[in-house]
Structures are given as structure tokens and as C-alpha cells.
């Protein structure tokens, strides 16, 4: 692919003057500030927040305090696949499928009645080229026809606030990656062998099989047997918690996982006295209903994890509590509002209600962020994105010219722009692209990330790169009426789109 060049002019007083005949390559479109590499270990702010004002830190456990290796996903996939075959009597042929870690990404939507796995943007439009039935892509024309001649999905009719249906399910947590892979493989087998099936039954069976892996404790057993293999960055988790306690912060843990599993994992990462770091520990909390249902009382567990019967009138340090609800939690601790910062990996189950209903500050743990930033930092990505922006600016400004030659040039630019979009998408994931963007718009996942989190980062260890009184300032993202038409004035203001008279120089 050739990156074009054109003449440009700098305004009076600009840092550089160029003769009208001088040409620019795509490299010249990248000002030094744009070329600065992003830091995968940085914390990114959606909302201004000063850690100086935060007195209480709360944490989820799975994929927050405990980061898991990707090698856990094929174990979940294989176990759920075998449950489908042995307990749900699904065809033996499904056993030939293995887990493909490169197939799906987090944040996708699944239309249950259409057996369609797809990526939706912040405006509820399907990104064309990212709809799959089974393991096969669905043509764009068919997708549009399935939704009444439009790419728009009426999510307000088809899915609830937590993305759980009834018609469309959004896969939001990291554990959903093997679920999407298995669902796609089972659909692929049924379609490939001409087997009739009810889409709703198949979807429920697959999700139930995945649930059985968790409910039966299989995943817990694998992790407990080989914590060195499955638990990552345990020493960094210990460093984060110890640092916060040393600076006088109060800590609490609210997790859906059982005590025995959490206890073994925390002993591995932190040591036998891990509970002394936390002022309150709550297990099997049943989030997100923990945040919304005031009816479930707290139960205390003894040292062996057995339930106690006494009424809970206070939450004591060093003790373990089960279930309960946030309303009693707030009443007993008086930890309210923006002086509380809670970290979790699930935007709905962990963060949404806390931010919207209770005014806590929230931090999202997004492990995929590290890989995506490394891709963004590549020369290939920067070149591709810059030339896309250039072509978009040209298309916008030159569309008024409708003579035959101009239309031919515009058509070639449209084609090249689309090719670049597909190339950029494939850098992240061949089927679905980045979890944060469609071709141009933010994804629906990104929309929720911005709405429900003040901060987001690849792992909890990113906190170690900042002082405990650090203030995070979000970058001012220009609204469309505040921004230039394209990125030609992004940094120095001297980059200008070609004058109409210079069009002849654009090859």
C-alpha cells in the first residue's frame, strides 16, 4: 500500500516554511507529540480524581486482586464442551473443537434468536464485517436484512441494563471469552451438519455448561492445584495493598468467589496474614444484586468457613462475611461517596451501580489494554491511522467536485480508506478488531467503560507508578464543534489540508 504525498503551506510565523512544490509523506503528518509512545502501565482517567481525597479502597477478587493466565481459558472451554456432550447429550463431533484464543474479544453482543455474534458501536450500530454465525462471517447485506434494512440494533428493546437479554446478551467479563468460543463452535457444528436446533435452547445449554464449570468448583480446583501457573503478578498485588495500608488507607474486599478459594489465593499472593490488610472482607456477595437488593443479611463465617448464626451489628476487621447487601454495608461502615474508590473488572456487576446509585469513585481493570496499547505504539498502526485521517479529510473537503475525473479520484480514496480500516482492524483481532473502537466510533464496551469508571488500567499494579496523593486529569477530548475537521492542526497548527488548486499534486 502506498502512502500519498501532497504540497502544504505553513501559516505566517509557523515553525516551518515550505515551497508550494514541496511534498509531504505520511511520516510528516505525525507531529512529535503524536508519535510519543503510550505507556501500557499507565492509568487513564475518564474523570478527574485526586487520590488524596480517597480514604477507602475496595476491590473485587477475580481479575482484580488476582490476575489469571490465559491458559485458564482452554481449561474452561474443554470442561464445558465435555459437559455438553456427557450431560446434555450433545453430538460427540463437538469434541473435535479446540479453544481458539484469537477468535473473540470482550464486549461482543450475541443475538440469541439469530445465533449472531457481533460487535456494536456506541450508537448501537453493528460494525459491518464483524458479525459471525458459528465460525463463519455473515455477509453485510444479510446482517442489514436481518435487522429490517439497517445496521442499527434496538438494544433498549432487546437487552437490559446489565446486557443480559432477553433477546441480546453482551459478553462483558473475561471469563466470557471461552463461552463465546464454545457457543460459536457448537453453532458451527450444528450448521455444518445440517442439524435442526432451537437457538434459545442451544444458547441456554452452553451458558449452563459454562456456569457448571464455576458452580461445581472445577475452575477453583485447577487454580488451587497450580497457583504458580495460573495466578499472575501476585507480588505486585501484595505491594499495592501494603503501600495503601502504610499510608493509612482502609481496605475492603467484596467478591462473588467462595472464602476457601479466596483464602488460598490471597495466602499465595500476600501471605497467611492477608486478612490483617483488610478492614472488611465479604465473599459470595452475589454481585450485582449485592448493590441493589437490601433484603439479604450478612452472615459471619468461622475460621473453617462454616456459617455462624449470630446477628451482624458491626463488620469487624479480620472476620469473614458472606452475602449481605450494600445498604447494610454503608450503614455499618459509613463509607460513602467519593472518598471510596472501588476496583473491578466487570463494568456492570462491579462498577455501574456503585457509580450511578452511590457516588463511589470506580476503577476498571482491563487486562486487554496492555496489548492494545502495544499495537497502537507500532509504526504500522500509526501510519495506517494517520493516512486514514488524511483520506477522510480529503473526502470531506473534495466531495463538492462532481465532474467525472473527480468522482473517479474520490472513489479510489473511498476504496483505499476502507482497505486501511480493515487493515487496522486486523492488527487487533482478525474477526472483531479492537475492543475499544469500531472502524471509527467507540464500541459499546467503550461507551460503558467511560460511563461507569473514573479510571481504567491494565492491572492493579499500575497504581505502583503513582503517588498515593496523585491527581488524575482526563485529557480534554474536543467535541466535534470544537475540533478541526481532521488532525491537520492537532499539535502545531501548521499542518493544513491541501488548497483546491493543489489537488493536481496529490498522487
Amino acid at each position: 500500500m502506498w502512502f500519498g504525498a501532497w504540497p502544504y503551506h505553513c501559516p505566517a510565523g509557523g515553525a516551518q516554511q515550505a515551497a508550494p512544490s514541496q511534498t509531504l509523506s505520511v511520516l510528516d503528518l505525525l507531529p512529535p507529540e503524536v508519535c510519543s509512545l503510550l505507556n501500557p502501565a499507565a492509568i487513564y482517567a475518564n474523570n478527574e480524581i485526586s487520590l488524596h481525597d480517597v480514604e477507602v479502597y475496595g476491590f473485587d477478587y477475580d481479575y482484580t486482586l488476582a490476575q489469571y493466565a490465559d491458559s485458564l481459558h482452554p481449561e474452561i472451554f474443554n470442561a464445558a464442551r465435555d459437559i455438553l456432550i456427557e450431560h446434555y447429550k450433545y453430538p460427540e463431533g463437538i469434541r473435535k473443537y479446540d479453544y481458539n484464543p484469537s477468535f473473540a474479544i470482550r464486549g461482543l453482543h450475541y443475538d440469541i434468536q439469530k445465533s449472531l455474534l457481533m460487535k456494536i458501536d456506541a450508537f448501537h450500530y453493528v460494525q459491518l464485517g464483524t458479525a459471525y454465525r458459528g465460525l463463519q462471517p455473515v455477509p453485510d447485506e444479510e446482517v442489514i436484512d436481518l435487522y429490517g434494512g439497517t445496521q442499527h440494533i434496538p438494544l433498549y428493546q432487546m437487552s437490559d441494563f446489565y446486557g443480559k437479554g432477553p433477546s441480546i446478551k453482551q459478553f462483558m467479563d473475561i471469563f466470557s471469552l471461552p463461552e463465546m468460543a464454545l457457543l460459536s463452535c457448537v453453532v458451527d457444528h450444528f450448521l455444518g451438519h445440517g442439524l435442526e436446533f432451537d437457538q434459545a435452547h442451544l444458547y441456554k445449554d452452553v451458558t449452563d455448561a459454562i456456569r457448571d464449570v464455576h458452580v461445581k468448583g472445577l475452575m477453583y480446583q485447577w487454580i488451587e492445584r497450580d497457583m504458580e501457573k495460573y495466578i499472575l503478578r501476585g507480588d505486585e498485588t501484595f505491594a499495592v495493598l501494603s503501600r495503601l495500608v502504610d499510608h493509612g488507607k482502609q481496605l475492603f474486599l467484596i467478591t462473588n468467589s467462595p472464602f476457601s478459594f479466596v483464602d488460598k489465593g490471597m495466602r499465595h499472593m500476600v501471605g497467611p496474614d492477608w486478612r490483617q490488610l483488610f478492614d472488611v472482607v465479604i465473599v459470595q456477595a452475589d454481585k450485582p444484586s449485592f448493590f441493589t437488593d437490601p433484603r439479604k443479611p450478612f452472615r459471619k463465617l468461622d475460621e473453617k468457613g462454616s456459617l455462624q448464626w449470630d446477628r451482624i451489628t458491626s463488620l469487624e476487621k479480620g472476620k469473614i462475611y458472606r452475602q449481605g447487601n450494600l445498604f447494610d454495608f454503608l450503614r455499618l461502615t459509613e463509607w460513602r461517596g467519593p472518598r471510596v474508590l472501588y476496583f473491578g473488572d466487570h463494568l456492570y456487576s462491579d462498577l455501574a451501580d456503585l457509580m450511578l446509585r452511590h457516588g463511589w469513585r470506580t476503577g476498571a481493570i482491563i487486562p486487554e489494554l496492555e496489548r492494545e496499547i502495544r499495537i497502537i505504539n507500532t509504526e504500522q498502526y500509526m501510519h495506517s491511522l494517520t493516512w486514514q485521517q488524511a483520506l477522510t479529510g480529503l473526502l470531506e473537503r473534495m466531495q463538492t467536485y462532481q465532474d467525472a475525473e473527480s468522482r473517479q479520484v474520490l472513489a479510489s480514496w473511498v476504496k483505499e480508506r476502507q482497505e486501511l480500516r480493515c487493515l487496522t482492524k486486523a492488527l487487533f483481532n482478525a474477526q472483531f478488531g479492537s475492543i475499544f473502537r469500531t472502524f471509527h466510533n467507540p464500541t459499546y464496551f467503550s461507551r460503558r467503560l467511560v460511563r461507569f469508571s473514573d479510571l481504567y488500567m491494565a492491572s492493579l499494579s499500575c497504581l505502583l507508578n503513582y503517588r498515593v496523593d496523585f491527581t488524575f486529569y482526563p485529557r480534554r477530548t474536543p467535541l466535534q464543534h470544537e475540533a478541526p475537521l481532521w488532525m491537520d492542526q492537532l499539535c502545531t497548527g501548521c499542518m493544513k489540508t491541501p488548497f483546491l488548486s493543489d489537488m493536481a499534486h496529490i498522487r
Side-chain angles (χ1 to χ4, degrees):
M1 184 173 296
W2 177 87
F3 292 106
W6 60 76
Y8 79 107
H9 302 274
C10 288
Q16 177 181 7
Q17 290 288 338
S21 60
Q22 183 176 347
T23 59
L24 285 175
S25 72
V26 69
L27 291 174
D28 298 307
L29 288 173
L30 290 168
E33 293 85 349
V34 176
C35 296
S36 298
L37 297 181
L38 296 171
N39 183 359
I43 294 176
Y44 297 91
N46 294 319
N47 195 14
E48 184 174 325
I49 173 175
S50 174
L51 297 185
H52 179 271
D53 299 329
V54 177
E55 302 171 6
V56 184
Y57 285 77
F59 306 92
D60 181 32
Y61 180 72
D62 296 304
Y63 281 107
T64 301
L65 290 177
Q67 289 269 14
Y68 298 128
D70 290 342
S71 55
L72 186 62
H73 296 161
E75 300 280 3
I76 297 172
F77 176 94
N78 292 339
R81 179 199 61 197
D82 294 346
I83 289 172
L84 279 177
I85 296 170
E86 295 164 11
H87 297 281
Y88 291 79
K89 307 306 178 184
Y90 271 58
E92 182 67 30
I94 293 173
R95 209 182 296 273
K96 71 178 182 181
Y97 290 95
D98 294 319
Y99 178 68
N100 178 4
S102 301
F103 177 68
I105 61 173
R106 190 152 56 124
L108 299 179
H109 285 77
Y110 185 74
D111 189 318
I112 296 170
Q113 293 301 327
K114 298 178 176 62
S115 298
L116 207 63
L117 186 66
M118 56 193 166
K119 182 177 171 185
I120 296 178
D121 73 11
F123 302 97
H124 300 190
Y125 284 82
V126 180
Q127 178 183 355
L128 295 180
T130 65
Y132 279 72
R133 182 176 290 115
L135 300 176
Q136 302 302 317
V138 178
D140 295 342
E141 298 79 10
E142 183 178 343
V143 173
I144 293 172
D145 184 62
L146 285 171
Y147 292 102
T150 178
Q151 296 168 242
H152 185 265
I153 309 295
L155 287 178
Y156 73 97
Q157 293 178 345
M158 306 175 73
S159 189
D160 65 6
F161 175 79
Y162 298 104
K164 293 184 178 180
S167 301
I168 289 185
K169 159 73 182 285
Q170 186 178 17
F171 293 101
M172 289 297 284
D173 64 8
I174 302 172
F175 287 130
S176 66
L177 291 172
E179 181 177 356
M180 286 185 279
L182 181 59
L183 187 60
S184 298
C185 289
V186 174
V187 171
D188 182 77
H189 179 85
F190 275 72
L191 293 177
H193 290 79
L195 303 175
E196 292 187 7
F197 65 97
D198 184 284
Q199 291 95 332
H201 293 337
L202 186 148
Y203 168 77
K204 186 176 186 303
D205 291 344
V206 171
T207 56
D208 285 349
I210 291 286
R211 182 203 63 201
D212 287 347
V213 172
H214 296 275
V215 171
K216 294 180 178 179
L218 298 179
M219 187 193 75
Y220 302 141
Q221 294 171 19
W222 302 328
I223 295 173
E224 289 172 1
R225 278 200 299 261
D226 197 344
M227 292 188 183
E228 288 292 340
K229 175 182 178 181
Y230 290 116
I231 296 182
L232 308 176
R233 294 175 165 169
D235 54 339
E236 296 173 5
T237 296
F238 178 46
V240 170
L241 299 177
S242 299
R243 185 168 178 248
L244 293 174
V245 171
D246 290 343
H247 283 83
K249 307 299 182 181
Q250 295 178 287
L251 310 185
F252 67 91
L253 169 64
I254 301 178
T255 176
N256 286 347
S257 292
F259 170 67
S260 60
F261 175 68
V262 173
D263 183 52
K264 291 174 183 176
M266 292 300 293
R267 286 173 179 269
H268 171 76
M269 293 187 289
V270 176
D273 297 327
W274 68 270
R275 280 188 278 170
Q276 296 308 311
L277 295 173
F278 292 88
D279 293 88
V280 178
V281 176
I282 300 168
V283 299
Q284 292 178 283
D286 194 25
K287 295 178 294 183
S289 65
F290 177 89
F291 300 127
T292 58
D293 187 351
R295 295 172 297 178
K296 297 178 180 178
F298 283 110
R299 298 284 299 273
K300 187 185 294 184
L301 302 180
D302 64 16
E303 294 298 319
K304 296 181 180 180
S306 299
L307 285 172
Q308 302 297 290
W309 301 100
D310 48 324
R311 183 178 180 182
I312 305 302
T313 57
S314 64
L315 299 175
E316 303 174 52
K317 184 170 183 174
K319 302 298 183 181
I320 304 296
Y321 300 91
R322 175 179 166 179
Q323 211 164 55
N325 64 84
L326 185 65
F327 303 92
D328 286 343
F329 180 88
L330 295 175
R331 177 176 55 82
L332 295 172
T333 64
E334 298 184 349
W335 293 338
R336 299 179 183 274
R339 67 190 186 102
V340 182
L341 173 56
Y342 184 80
F343 293 92
D345 69 288
H346 198 299
L347 300 182
Y348 296 142
S349 297
D350 289 326
L351 307 182
D353 290 304
L354 294 177
M355 171 173 276
L356 298 180
R357 298 171 184 260
H358 303 286
W360 285 10
R361 311 310 292 266
T362 55
I365 305 300
I366 312 293
E368 300 95 334
L369 185 65
E370 182 173 355
R371 176 179 177 271
E372 295 232 354
I373 287 178
R374 295 192 188 281
I375 293 171
I376 290 171
N377 284 338
T378 62
E379 186 175 347
Q380 184 180 13
Y381 175 85
M382 287 189 284
H383 284 188
S384 178
L385 179 63
T386 303
W387 189 236
Q388 282 182 66
Q389 295 291 82
L391 286 171
T392 302
L394 288 170
L395 287 167
E396 183 172 39
R397 295 192 176 201
M398 307 317 299
Q399 61 185 312
T400 56
Y401 290 82
Q402 290 297 311
D403 58 277
E405 185 177 4
S406 296
R407 287 201 301 269
Q408 185 177 2
V409 172
L410 287 167
S412 69
W413 286 343
V414 169
K415 180 181 178 182
E416 184 176 2
R417 178 174 178 258
Q418 184 59 27
E419 290 172 350
L420 280 168
R421 285 176 148 191
C422 294
L423 174 67
T424 307
K425 165 196 160 190
L427 293 175
F428 297 94
N429 176 278
Q431 291 75 231
F432 300 101
S434 166
I435 73 170
F436 299 104
R437 279 200 180 273
T438 57
F439 287 135
H440 181 77
N441 292 331
T443 59
Y444 193 83
F445 179 89
S446 284
R447 176 184 177 181
R448 295 310 217 187
L449 176 64
V450 171
R451 183 68 185 90
F452 300 145
S453 66
D454 294 290
L455 304 172
Y456 64 99
M457 64 209 75
S459 73
L460 204 61
S461 62
C462 296
L463 284 170
L464 297 173
N465 299 320
Y466 300 86
R467 291 167 51 93
V468 293
D469 59 355
F470 190 86
T471 299
F472 293 94
Y473 297 96
R475 298 296 177 263
R476 183 182 176 94
T477 304
L479 302 173
Q480 289 299 305
H481 68 274
E482 298 174 325
L485 287 177
W486 57 319
M487 65 181 292
D488 52 13
Q489 299 176 10
L490 183 60
C491 293
T492 64
C494 69
M495 305 285 287
K496 297 295 182 182
T497 43
F499 293 106
L500 301 184
S501 60
D502 294 327
M503 286 297 293
H505 296 278
I506 300 177
R507 291 181 285 169

